[in-house]
Amino acid sequence: MADQILHVTDGDFDSQVLKGANPTLVDFWAEWCAPCRALSPIVEKVAAGYQGRLQVAKMNIDEHPRTPGKYGIRAIPTLLLFKDGAVVDQVVGLVSQNKLEQIISKHL
């Protein structure tokens, strides 16, 4: 399932996320973050369930700090949902798959 998730960098964020054909859910995370690791399987299930309608991406904030700074990411995990190049929704912290799908469904 992890192969359905795009790993984005500061260098390719604009082309992969902002100019993407589908809405994109971006998971901002770090290796040391326990809630991030707990959220990861939920994000993978969402990626599989919405394949073709939603692009799912992950960004390691330690390796790529510029983009999280630009979007004011202060806590992780933070999920931002982008549509047509703009943030349309945000989730901070660990959430259930059901809650995440409710948020995504509003924008598809």
Side-chain angles (χ1 to χ4, degrees):
M1 273 197 265
D3 61 344
Q4 295 160 341
I5 295 179
L6 185 65
H7 291 271
V8 293
T9 66
D10 284 334
D12 67 8
F13 187 85
D14 287 3
S15 64
Q16 295 290 343
V17 175
L18 301 182
K19 296 178 177 143
N22 288 327
T24 303
L25 180 71
V26 181
D27 177 10
F28 292 90
W29 70 287
E31 204 69 52
W32 48 264
C33 168
C36 298
R37 289 193 305 271
L39 185 62
S40 193
I42 294 169
V43 170
E44 289 176 12
K45 287 178 186 166
V46 166
Y50 286 87
Q51 196 170 7
R53 297 183 293 153
L54 176 76
Q55 176 173 262
V56 177
K58 291 177 81 84
M59 176 173 269
N60 184 317
I61 65 160
D62 289 335
E63 295 173 5
H64 308 284
R66 195 174 72 228
T67 302
K70 178 180 174 184
Y71 288 99
I73 305 298
R74 302 262 181 265
I76 55 173
T78 293
L79 301 166
L80 295 183
L81 183 59
F82 290 85
K83 186 173 183 180
D84 300 324
V87 177
V88 294
D89 223 321
Q90 174 177 323
V91 179
V92 179
L94 184 57
V95 293
S96 68
Q97 183 176 345
N98 188 34
K99 176 73 175 160
L100 188 53
E101 288 176 347
Q102 286 174 358
I103 292 163
I104 293 166
S105 294
K106 291 189 301 189
H107 300 286
L108 293 182

